């Protein structure tokens, strides 16, 4: 075992050296190295690990991004509490050894961390580089002064301290849970986050691309430099170029401004997220010193007090959802493909905007939003000086808030998807005069770095004159959370202000669970433990349950209708997330607020949004059709692009229905008899769509439905395999909870399992999972090899299933 570890260590070191050496010999450009592999990890405090002679042979080898909490067991006794996901946190160390070629001594070498939760401290070769309390902040350290070259190894040590708890109202994860890169540049280089690209005067005929570039000369002598910028279209063809000359003294920097015109620009939009690339090169004489490529979206937008939001001159509603950062069974460990899947599911639902609740996201989320066409409200804080939890961000507010906010703006301001900066969510200081001074200060920090985007916040107090953050006059867009009954007053209360429903709904549901009568609206807050004897910790998935400060989905959607002055809404929440299991105590440990469950399976409300937020014909019939004979069952349907729907039970019509008044669904109250329900939608008398639900028999076999059959062999790519328990005719068995065992062979491994049940205490990192309401999820991850991936799923008494994917 020991020999293997040592061997791997050397192999890792050798490979890094090889990569560094190969890329360093001739080229002068920037080198960006994925620095995620070959780390060693151990829970607990190990201060000696920063010493070169420390032995890590007993440590676990891990590849970043890494979240140690997600592999833990659930317990209500963990200090994270149920709000934080009831998973363990604590302290841990990471360590990595690497070599650098001798010629790198002439270079500047820094390390970039996209985020470490939390309280990280970093050492290189025993030198302490710094600390970063905020777990969502990105940061970099210059390693150059402390590095060894040639065959003398470098030791990076990272301490992560997530022991102070509770520190969050949702699951955070623990560890180096986002990507890490090593960057090598020449002494003359573009500063880290030192390039800002934005657009102005955009029309169909022409756009101006505004560039601010900070070039550093870390050498001793003055250099005559040339900055060459080329704008390339999506085919890689140059559409504009500009060259600027500048002399930079030794150990100085220069800020260069360029204004570049692009004729007939293709505009970036939700439907057509067209991206140019800005290629920036810095030369000293004819020698290339640094180069950077930055995606560019040319677009303009506006918030208007009367007409709401418009993009490129076209009025549009912001149809948004709030998302926390966890990826269900994968925890907080960032995986681009997992984020992409979430966004794809949301796009299909009609979502066009994401609110990054309540912290800056992983950069990959913003890259994907740029590429896939989503608008983003990028959010900095859930608390300022006054906390919501004993050890949340308020404890380091004084020292770190400026830096944390600056970093968000500097890092994210080049993304066309980002359209607003949020300085906070439901900040306690909105009720206190400190709200005026802090909001003004934060807005000032942002405006110094980016004048192109409005500033907003998620506020609870909406009454005029009562909210100190509003009074600070530092918000360009007033974002109000909940209180949908007040929407009709907002234009009177704030006639001159841009408005958005920054958070709404907080409806509650468990996928596949139904309780009658479905037309009785239920508001829930918290349920007492004593009353939980027979509780199954499930909430009805008809849209009739919400948190008592919120509303059903339909209630808020109705309240928004016809109010042009409200730019749109962010629904709480797009996906279920770990933690905040309101209204239930443990064993509930994840949220009920999602329109999509934690495993990524849509709940019924998904189709309500699809029918309201997209133009495609929608027809959704629920619930399942397995009830007791004679039981009265409410049958609901969501539909769109049709005039009417007709329901049949075992061939007999139960009547034609149309949505009445402002209703967004139709309902029949039906005496159950086994068999099948058939629903058709019609437009002008012609059938548009048909849906059927059949009474299922006993569980008979397992079905595997991967969302992707071809994986790339990059060690990161995932396939999300839906596992269904069906009867002998292939009908989903709606209450099936069979335990399914998985075997994955070949070019992949199991990355996680889940079933979306909010109170399951099974581990996410296992080779088995119980189905919940007929389904569970298996996530497989390529293991860097190419070839076949054979997945087998078996369960006692059921016919097994097998499917084969490939990796290339
Ligand atoms: C809001 C809060 C969110 C979440 C939600 C649950 O008030 O901003 O973070 O807690 O309630 O309903």
């Amino acid at each position: 075992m020991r020999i293997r570890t040592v061997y791997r260590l050397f192999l890792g070191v050798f490979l890094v050296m090889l990569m560094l050496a190969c890329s360093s010999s001739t080229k002068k450009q920037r080198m960006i190295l994925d620095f995620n592999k070959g780390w060693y990890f151990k829970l607990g405090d190990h201060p000696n690990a920063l010493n070169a002679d420390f032995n890590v042979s007993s440590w676990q080898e891990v590849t970043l991004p890494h979240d140690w909490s997600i592999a833990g067991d659930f317990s209500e006794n963990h200090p994270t509490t149920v709000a934080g996901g009831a998973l363990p946190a604590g302290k841990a160390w990471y360590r990595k050894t690497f070599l650098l070629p001798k010629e790198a001594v002439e270079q500047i070498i820094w390390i970039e961390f996209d985020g470490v939760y939390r309280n990280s401290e970093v050492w290189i070769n025993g030198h302490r580089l710094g600390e970063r309390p905020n777990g969502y902040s990105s940061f970099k350290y210059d390693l150059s002064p402390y590095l060894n070259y040639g065959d003398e190894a470098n030791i990076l040590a990272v301490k992560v301290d997530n022991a102070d708890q509770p520190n969050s109202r949702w699951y955070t994860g623990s560890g180096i849970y986002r990507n890490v890169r090593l960057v090598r540049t020449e002494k003359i280089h573009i500063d880290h986050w030192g390039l800002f690209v934005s657009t102005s005067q955009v029309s169909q005929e022409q756009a101006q691309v505004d560039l601010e570039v900070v070039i550093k000369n870390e050498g001793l002598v003055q250099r005559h430099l040339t900055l060459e910028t080329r704008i390339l279209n999506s085919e890689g063809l140059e559409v504009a170029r500009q060259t600027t000359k500048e002399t930079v003294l030794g150990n100085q920097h220069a800020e260069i401004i360029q204004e570049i015109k692009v004729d007939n620009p293709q505009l970036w939009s939700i439907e057509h997220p067209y991206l140019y690339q800005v290629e920036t090169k810095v030369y000293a004489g004819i020698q290339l010193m640094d180069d950077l490529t930055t995606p560019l979206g040319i677009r303009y937008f506006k918030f208007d007090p009367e007409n709401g939001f418009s993009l490129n001159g076209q009025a549009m509603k912001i149809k948004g959802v709030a998302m926390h950062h966890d990826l269900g069974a994968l925890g907080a460990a960032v995986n681009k493909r997992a984020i992409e899947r979430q966004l794809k599911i949301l796009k299909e639902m009609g979502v066009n905007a994401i609110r990054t609740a309540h912290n800056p996201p992983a950069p990959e989320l913003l890259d994907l939003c740029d590429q896939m066409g989503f608008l983003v409200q990028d959010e900095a804080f859930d608390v300022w000086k006054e906390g919501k939890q004993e050890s949340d961000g308020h404890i380091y507010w004084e020292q770190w808030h400026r830096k944390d906010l600056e970093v968000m703006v500097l890092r994210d301001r080049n993304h066309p998807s980002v359209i607003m900066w949020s300085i906070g969510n439901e900040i306690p200081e909105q009720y206190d005069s400190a709200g005026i001074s802090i909001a003004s200060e934060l807005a000032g920090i942002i405006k110094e770095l980016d004048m192109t985007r409005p500033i907003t916040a998620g506020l609870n107090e909406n009454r005029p004159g009562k909210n100190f953050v509003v009074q600070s006059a530092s918000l360009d867009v007033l974002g109000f959370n909940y209180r949908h009954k007040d929407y009709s007053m907002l234009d009177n209360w704030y006639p001159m202000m841009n408005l958005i429903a920054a958070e709404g709904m907080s409806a509650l549901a468990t996928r596949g669970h139904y309780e009658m009568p479905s037309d009785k609206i239920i508001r829930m807050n918290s349920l007492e433990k004593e009353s939980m004897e027979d509780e199954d910790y499930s909430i009805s998935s008809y849209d009739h349950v919400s948190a008592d400060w919120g509303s059903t989905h339909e209630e808020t959607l109705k309240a928004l209708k016809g109010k042009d002055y409200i730019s749109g809404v962010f629904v709480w929440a797009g996906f279920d997330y770990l933690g905040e299991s309101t209204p239930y105590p443990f064993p509930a440990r994840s949220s009920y607020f999602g329109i999509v469950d934690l495993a990524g399976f849509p709940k019924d409300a998904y189709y309500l949004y699809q029918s309201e937020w997209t133009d495609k014909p929608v027809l959704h019939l629920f619930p399942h059709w397995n009830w007791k004979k004679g039981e009265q069952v409410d049958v609901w349907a969501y539909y769109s692009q049709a005039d009417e729907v007709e329901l049949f039970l075992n061939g007999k019509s139960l009547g034609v229905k149309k949505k009445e008044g402002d209703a967004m669904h139709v309902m029949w109250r039906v005496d159950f008899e086994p068999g099948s329900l058939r629903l058709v939608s019609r437009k002008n008398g012609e059938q548009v769509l048909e849906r059927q639900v059949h009474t299922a028999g006993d569980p008979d076999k397992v079905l595997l439905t991967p969302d992707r059959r071809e994986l790339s062999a990059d060690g990161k790519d995932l396939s999300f395999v839906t596992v269904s328990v069906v009867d002998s005719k292939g009908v989903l068995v709606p209450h099936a909870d069979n335990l399914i065992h998985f075997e994955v062979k070949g070019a992949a491994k199991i990355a996680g399992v889940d079933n979306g049940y909010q109170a399951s205490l099974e581990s996410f990192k296992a080779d088995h999972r119980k189905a919940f309401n007929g389904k569970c999820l298996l996530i497989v991850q390529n293991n860097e090899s190419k070839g076949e991936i054979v997945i087998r799923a078996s369960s006692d008494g059921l016919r097994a299933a097998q499917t084969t994917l490939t990796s290339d």
Side-chain angles (χ1 to χ4, degrees):
M1 182 62 196
R2 168 99 199 273
I3 292 174
R4 244 177 88 198
T5 314
V6 171
Y7 165 75
R8 279 210 212 136
L9 180 74
F10 276 110
L11 186 71
V13 166
F14 173 73
L15 286 175
V16 170
M17 205 178 151
L18 192 73
M19 282 159 74
L20 292 172
C22 291
S23 44
S24 74
S25 50
T26 49
K27 289 191 196 158
K28 287 291 186 192
Q29 293 99 312
R30 169 178 299 232
M31 281 173 255
I32 303 174
L33 270 176
D34 180 324
F35 225 47
N36 291 315
K37 279 203 204 154
W39 288 81
Y40 287 80
F41 163 79
K42 195 169 165 89
L43 280 175
D45 202 359
H46 312 283
N48 291 331
L50 51 93
N51 300 325
D53 54 0
F54 185 82
N55 186 340
V56 289
S57 57
S58 67
W59 289 29
Q60 183 194 348
E61 189 180 354
V62 294
T63 297
L64 310 178
H66 177 248
D67 167 13
W68 80 72
S69 293
I70 198 66
D73 292 329
F74 294 103
S75 162
E76 60 188 319
N77 299 323
H78 287 312
T80 50
T81 74
V82 179
L87 284 166
K91 296 180 190 176
W93 282 68
Y94 294 82
R95 201 169 183 271
K96 180 179 167 77
T97 306
F98 63 101
L99 298 176
L100 288 164
K102 285 215 171 94
E103 55 273 28
V105 76
E106 292 299 320
Q107 294 185 310
I108 300 296
I109 300 180
W110 71 69
I111 187 160
E112 297 179 353
F113 290 86
D114 287 344
V116 181
Y117 204 93
R118 121 205 231 247
N119 284 320
S120 63
E121 283 176 77
V122 183
W123 291 263
I124 180 79
N125 299 330
H127 296 271
R128 189 172 182 279
L129 295 164
E131 66 190 13
R132 188 52 65 111
N134 187 330
Y136 302 106
S137 240
S138 295
F139 53 95
K140 78 121 201 265
Y141 294 115
D142 185 3
L143 307 181
S144 318
Y146 316 107
L147 289 170
N148 302 317
Y149 302 89
D151 11 333
E152 209 182 330
N154 294 290
I155 314 280
L156 257 177
V158 181
K159 177 187 176 185
V160 184
D161 182 351
N162 192 15
D164 268 354
Q165 293 284 347
N167 67 41
S168 176
R169 302 187 298 110
W170 58 88
Y171 175 77
T172 61
S174 310
I176 311 180
Y177 72 105
R178 290 181 179 168
N179 286 295
V180 179
R181 290 170 297 277
L182 190 79
V183 177
R184 281 176 60 186
T185 69
E186 296 306 303
K187 291 210 165 121
I188 290 166
H189 60 92
I190 298 169
D191 198 10
H192 181 240
W193 296 326
L195 185 147
F196 179 26
V197 59
S198 59
T199 51
S200 56
Q201 301 165 40
V202 179
S203 70
Q204 297 289 347
E205 289 74 42
Q206 202 179 54
Q208 179 169 307
V209 176
D210 301 303
L211 223 73
E212 288 171 37
V213 187
V214 177
I215 301 179
K216 274 183 139 178
N217 175 3
E218 298 200 41
L220 295 176
V221 293
Q222 137 181 329
R223 301 295 293 263
H224 302 293
L225 304 178
T226 306
L227 173 72
E228 180 195 89
T229 300
R230 299 198 313 141
I231 298 182
L232 310 175
N233 68 14
S234 64
E235 274 115 56
L237 301 173
E238 180 180 311
V239 295
R241 158 198 294 256
Q242 200 171 104
T243 302
T244 309
K245 295 203 182 291
E246 183 79 46
T247 300
V248 188
L249 299 174
N251 275 322
Q252 297 291 325
H253 68 270
E255 188 176 323
I256 297 181
I257 305 230
Q258 293 185 324
E259 293 172 358
I260 310 173
K261 306 274 188 225
V262 174
D263 291 330
N264 305 314
Q266 297 250 24
L267 300 189
W268 182 94
S269 67
I270 301 299
E271 302 77 24
H272 184 62
Y274 190 94
L275 291 176
Y276 292 87
Q277 304 290 329
V278 180
E279 191 191 83
T280 333
K281 293 191 169 162
V282 181
Y283 293 90
I286 53 159
Q287 196 168 30
L288 180 60
M289 288 290 158
D290 196 10
D291 63 345
L292 205 58
T293 302
T294 313
L296 161 72
I298 301 180
R299 45 73 175 141
Y300 63 100
F301 64 87
K302 191 173 155 207
F303 285 89
D304 180 90
E306 255 177 71
N307 301 309
F309 182 76
S310 64
L311 180 64
N312 302 327
Q314 309 251 308
M316 65 176 271
K317 275 275 177 220
I318 293 181
K319 300 166 182 169
V321 293
M323 292 285 280
H324 274 313
H325 70 305
D326 78 61
L327 296 167
L330 305 177
V334 167
N335 178 292
K336 191 166 180 185
R337 158 74 179 123
I339 304 175
E340 185 191 16
R341 172 191 181 235
Q342 291 191 327
L343 291 175
K344 207 167 152 236
I345 291 169
L346 293 170
K347 186 126 208 158
E348 284 277 296
M349 173 183 134
V351 172
N352 64 17
I354 304 291
R355 175 178 174 199
T356 68
H358 300 298
N359 45 261
E364 290 77 12
L365 174 97
L366 300 179
D367 293 341
L368 285 163
C369 287
D370 292 346
Q371 290 155 17
M372 296 171 74
F374 283 90
L375 306 169
V376 176
Q377 173 176 325
D378 201 349
E379 191 148 271
F381 305 113
D382 192 47
V383 293
W384 295 344
K385 216 171 188 161
E386 203 176 311
K388 297 177 182 169
Q389 298 264 12
E390 202 177 309
S391 298
D392 62 20
H394 77 281
I395 57 175
Y396 48 78
W397 176 260
E398 235 15 281
Q399 206 191 334
W400 285 95
H401 67 275
R402 169 174 278 275
K403 189 84 195 155
D404 288 336
L405 188 59
E406 282 174 354
V407 158
M408 175 180 86
V409 177
L410 287 170
R411 193 198 69 171
D412 296 348
R413 62 188 176 165
N414 291 334
H415 289 278
S417 56
V418 176
I419 55 150
M420 304 187 249
W421 303 115
S422 165
I423 55 173
N425 173 62
E426 300 191 344
I427 296 294
E429 285 91 337
Q430 67 192 297
Y431 301 106
D432 168 343
S433 60
I436 299 186
S437 53
I438 300 178
S440 312
E441 186 205 350
L442 300 181
I445 294 171
I446 294 179
K447 296 282 180 200
E448 262 175 41
L449 302 171
D450 177 22
M451 290 291 287
T452 73
R453 292 175 177 87
I455 294 174
T456 190
L459 307 162
N460 331 57
E461 177 55 77
N462 62 7
R463 288 168 300 164
K466 301 276 182 197
N467 188 317
F468 289 91
V469 174
V470 174
Q471 283 178 45
S472 74
S474 45
L475 301 185
D476 306 303
V477 179
L478 296 184
F480 289 119
N481 290 5
Y482 305 97
R483 301 175 194 267
H484 64 285
K485 290 192 178 135
D486 293 343
Y487 288 174
S488 51
M489 313 293 288
L490 293 179
D491 59 335
N492 287 324
W493 289 350
Y494 303 99
M496 311 296 280
M497 289 304 300
N498 303 317
L499 297 165
I500 188 159
E503 197 172 310
M505 287 73 169
S506 275
L508 299 159
T510 299
R511 171 186 54 82
H513 182 84
Y514 304 94
E515 288 173 26
M516 315 300 152
S518 65
D519 46 2
K520 181 174 170 230
I521 304 270
I522 300 167
R523 310 280 182 213
M524 296 175 113
N525 188 346
S526 63
L527 294 172
E528 289 306 319
K529 240 189 159 172
E530 291 74 59
S531 65
M532 307 297 295
E533 289 291 282
D534 301 320
E535 198 40 79
D536 59 6
Y537 299 89
S538 286
I539 297 183
S540 179
S541 178
Y542 294 112
D543 181 23
H544 65 138
V545 190
S546 81
D548 60 9
W549 52 90
S551 78
T552 66
H553 295 286
E554 203 169 318
E555 285 172 320
T556 292
L557 283 178
K558 280 178 186 164
L560 285 164
K561 279 248 154 124
K563 298 190 177 58
D564 291 346
Y565 53 89
I566 300 183
S567 304
V569 65
F570 288 99
V571 184
W572 192 269
F575 272 56
D576 277 341
Y577 49 91
L578 287 158
E580 201 176 39
S581 61
T582 308
Y584 283 120
F586 194 81
R589 45 59 175 168
S590 55
S591 83
Y592 293 78
F593 297 115
I595 302 166
V596 180
D597 79 11
L598 195 70
F601 303 134
K603 303 178 191 174
D604 296 291
Y606 182 90
Y607 302 95
L608 164 65
Y609 287 96
Q610 210 172 45
S611 66
E612 290 292 319
W613 282 2
T614 75
D615 292 333
K616 56 188 166 205
V618 171
L619 185 61
H620 180 64
L621 167 66
F622 60 107
H624 57 77
W625 208 234
N626 280 56
W627 301 90
K628 293 198 192 91
K629 202 147 189 203
E631 205 171 347
Q632 269 202 335
V633 184
D634 291 348
V635 176
W636 282 42
Y638 293 127
Y639 70 88
S640 63
Q641 309 296 335
D643 315 316
E644 59 179 36
V645 285
E646 185 169 6
L647 182 68
F648 300 87
L649 172 59
N650 294 329
K652 200 173 107 232
S653 173
L654 299 182
V656 172
K657 297 229 179 217
K658 291 175 194 230
K659 290 185 247 187
E660 275 165 23
D662 61 356
M664 295 175 175
H665 73 279
V666 291
M667 182 189 100
W668 294 260
R669 191 149 279 164
V670 180
D671 290 329
F672 176 74
E673 59 181 64
S676 55
L677 283 177
R678 186 168 80 91
L679 181 72
V680 294
S681 63
R682 292 191 203 98
K683 191 172 181 116
N684 303 325
E686 298 279 319
Q687 181 172 320
V688 182
L689 289 170
E690 182 195 54
R691 296 283 178 265
Q692 296 202 38
V693 181
H694 304 279
T695 304
D698 292 336
D700 177 66
K701 73 180 210 205
V702 183
L703 273 189
L704 294 177
T705 317
D707 75 338
R708 149 173 313 199
R709 292 201 158 270
E710 284 162 21
L711 301 192
S712 67
D714 60 1
K716 297 177 181 167
D717 205 0
L718 306 171
S719 183
F720 290 82
V721 185
T722 300
V723 183
S724 319
V725 177
V726 298
D727 71 4
S728 58
K729 294 191 181 122
V731 177
L732 185 85
V733 182
H735 300 301
D737 61 356
N738 308 60
L739 177 63
I740 321 275
H741 294 273
F742 302 109
E743 225 183 289
V744 177
K745 285 191 183 150
K749 59 177 186 188
I750 297 178
V753 290
D754 190 10
N755 59 19
Y757 179 37
Q758 289 102 341
S760 167
L761 298 182
E762 294 167 280
S763 173
F764 291 119
K765 302 287 179 189
D767 61 359
H768 55 272
R769 188 70 170 193
K770 283 178 85 170
F772 173 67
N773 289 339
K775 285 185 188 177
C776 63
L777 176 78
L778 166 71
I779 311 170
V780 297
Q781 180 166 17
N782 167 264
N783 58 13
E784 282 187 57
S785 48
K786 295 185 176 185
E788 287 195 337
I789 301 164
V790 181
I791 304 173
R792 197 179 139 78
S794 58
S795 179
D796 273 357
L798 300 187
R799 285 190 278 154
Q802 183 166 314
T803 191
T804 305
L805 319 180
T806 55
S807 231
D808 205 357

